[in-house]
Amino acid sequence: MARKPVIRDTDYLVISARVKALETGLLTGERMEQLLEAKTGEECSKLLQEWGYPQLDAARPDAMDAALSAVREATMADLAEGMPDRRYLELFKIKYDYHNVKALLKAEVMGVPAGSMLMDMGRVPAADLETAVKERDLEHLPETLAAAVAEARQVLETTRDPQLADMVLDRWCYQDMAALAEETGSGFLRGYVAAQVDAVNLRTAVRTLRMGKGTDFLQGALLEGGDLSSDAVGKAAAGGGPGLRELYGTTRFRAAAEAGADALGGGPLTEFEKRCDDAVGDYLAGARYVSFGEAPLVGYLAARETEYTNLRIILMGRAAGIDPAVIRTRLRASYL
C-alpha cells in the first residue's frame, strides 16, 4: 500500500496567505457591537450584507440556518481549492454527521419526521444519511460512523433512553475526530480535539452533578482523549465545585470551572457554557501568530464556526427582544 506523501508546513504557504486575507472579513468584537446596537432589524441585515452575508431573517430560523450553512459550504469550497490536505475540512464536518444520527434515531423512536432537525453540513449528505439509517443499510457510510449508528441504535432499543444513545454517539464522534487528527500528523489539530474533549468532560461533570446523578453515570459519560484524564475528572467531580476548581485551576479552563462551580450553586449555565467555548478558543488563538502551516487554517475554520454561533445568538436574541446587555454576555470570544 502506497504511503501518503509527507506534507510540510511550507506546503501551506499559499493557503496560509489566503487565510490571512480572509481573516480581515471575520466579525470582530467591534462589528458585533454594531449589530447589537443597530436600531432596527433592517439596519442589522444591511450591515451583514455589507460584510458579505446573505439576507438573514431570524423570524424564519430554518431559512436563516440554511443561509448560514450555504455560507459555510462556500467558505470550505473556497479553501479546499488550495489545501494540501482536505482532511482538515473533514474534521469540521464530523460533528454534524453525529448530530444528524442523534436526530434520526430520536425521530425514529418518537415516530416523527426528522427533517427540521437535520443539518446538511456533514461529510454525508443529510438525505443519504437519513436513508441509510431508516433502511438500516450502513454499508456506504464511513466505517466509524456506521459502527456508531449500530451501537447507538442497539442501546436505544435496549434501554429506550435517548440520553444513553447520545453518550454513545458523543464517544464515537470524538474518537472519529481524534483518529482523523492523528492521521494528519498535526500536533495542533490533535491539541484542538483534546481541548474540545476537555470542554465536553467539564460540561458533563457539571451537568451530571446538577442533575444529582451518581459517579457511575458520570464515569460512563466521560470521554477519553483530553489533556485531563477521565479518571481525574471523575475524582475531581466527587468533590463538587471545589474539586473541579482545583483540577482545572492551572489550565485554560480555570474560568470555566469557576463558572461551573457557580452553576452548581444555582447560578445560570449560560455563563459556564460560554466559558467552556472561550477556553477552546484560547487554544486556537495561538494560530494567529503562526506565519504558515496548518495551524492558521484550523484556527480560521474554527473562528468561522464561532462566528456563526455568535450571529445566531445576536439575531435570535434581537428577534426575541432580549436586552443587548444580556445578549452580550452570551457571545463567545471573537478570534480577532
Side-chain angles (χ1 to χ4, degrees):
M1 180 177 175
R3 297 184 62 182
K4 288 181 178 291
V6 176
I7 297 175
R8 299 175 295 273
D9 287 351
T10 50
D11 293 323
Y12 285 86
L13 283 169
V14 174
I15 193 68
S16 294
R18 174 65 178 148
V19 165
K20 294 298 182 184
L22 289 172
E23 281 181 358
T24 62
L26 288 169
L27 294 187
T28 60
E30 181 181 353
R31 283 183 170 182
M32 287 192 285
E33 279 296 317
Q34 287 181 259
L35 294 176
L36 285 170
E37 297 300 327
K39 292 182 172 58
T40 65
E42 290 76 11
E43 182 181 336
C44 188
S45 180
K46 183 178 179 182
L47 284 170
L48 284 171
Q49 290 179 63
E50 287 176 3
W51 299 331
Y53 275 94
Q55 180 75 35
L56 298 174
D57 185 2
R60 300 167 57 223
D62 288 347
M64 181 179 71
D65 287 342
L68 286 174
S69 294
V71 171
R72 181 180 182 273
E73 290 303 312
T75 298
M76 288 194 166
D78 178 10
L79 291 172
E81 293 182 6
M83 191 177 298
D85 189 339
R86 296 196 180 191
R87 287 175 295 183
Y88 292 105
L89 290 182
E90 186 177 337
L91 186 116
F92 288 89
K93 293 174 175 282
I94 287 174
K95 65 180 179 181
Y96 295 103
D97 289 334
Y98 288 87
H99 162 85
N100 286 341
V101 172
K102 288 179 183 180
L104 288 164
L105 291 179
K106 288 175 185 174
E108 185 178 290
V109 168
M110 296 169 64
V112 299
S116 62
M117 296 183 283
L118 300 179
M119 302 177 73
D120 206 3
M121 298 164 68
R123 297 166 297 177
V124 182
D128 293 350
L129 186 55
E130 183 173 16
T131 299
V133 171
K134 280 184 177 180
E135 297 182 359
R136 304 192 180 216
D137 181 8
L138 310 179
E139 182 181 351
H140 300 295
L141 296 182
E143 184 177 349
T144 303
L145 182 62
V149 174
E151 183 179 345
R153 173 177 270 130
Q154 182 180 29
V155 167
L156 193 56
E157 290 177 347
T158 302
T159 67
R160 312 302 292 179
D161 188 339
Q163 189 174 32
L164 292 178
D166 283 356
M167 286 165 51
V168 167
L169 290 167
D170 285 340
R171 181 169 290 105
W172 278 103
C173 177
Y174 285 99
Q175 286 177 3
D176 207 344
M177 292 172 68
L180 188 146
E182 190 66 34
E183 286 175 14
T184 67
S186 168
F188 187 80
L189 197 61
R190 287 196 297 268
Y192 175 46
V193 175
Q196 291 185 82
V197 171
D198 284 333
V200 169
N201 281 345
L202 179 54
R203 285 188 174 103
T204 300
V206 169
R207 289 170 180 166
T208 300
L209 292 173
R210 273 176 62 109
M211 291 186 293
K213 295 199 173 184
T215 55
D216 288 344
F217 178 88
L218 175 59
Q219 207 60 53
L222 293 173
L223 306 176
E224 299 294 343
D227 289 329
L228 296 172
S229 71
S230 61
D231 285 342
V233 177
K235 290 175 182 176
L244 293 173
R245 271 200 299 255
E246 181 177 354
L247 177 65
Y248 287 93
T250 58
T251 74
R252 62 174 46 89
F253 287 91
R254 176 180 178 178
E258 290 175 352
D262 291 341
L264 290 173
L269 279 171
T270 50
E271 176 68 14
F272 167 61
E273 296 283 354
K274 168 184 159 53
R275 294 291 182 186
C276 286
D277 286 344
D278 285 351
V280 177
D282 179 66
Y283 172 82
L284 292 163
R288 293 173 53 200
Y289 308 104
V290 178
S291 298
F292 55 85
E294 81 279 11
L297 173 63
V298 174
Y300 175 74
L301 287 168
R304 288 302 300 260
E305 295 286 308
T306 299
E307 180 168 301
Y308 305 141
T309 298
N310 281 337
L311 264 179
R312 205 172 189 286
I313 290 171
I314 291 171
L315 296 176
M316 295 298 289
R318 284 181 58 98
I322 298 174
D323 189 286
V326 175
I327 298 174
R328 196 173 288 115
T329 64
R330 300 175 182 175
L331 296 176
R332 277 49 179 170
S334 62
Y335 189 64
L336 299 178

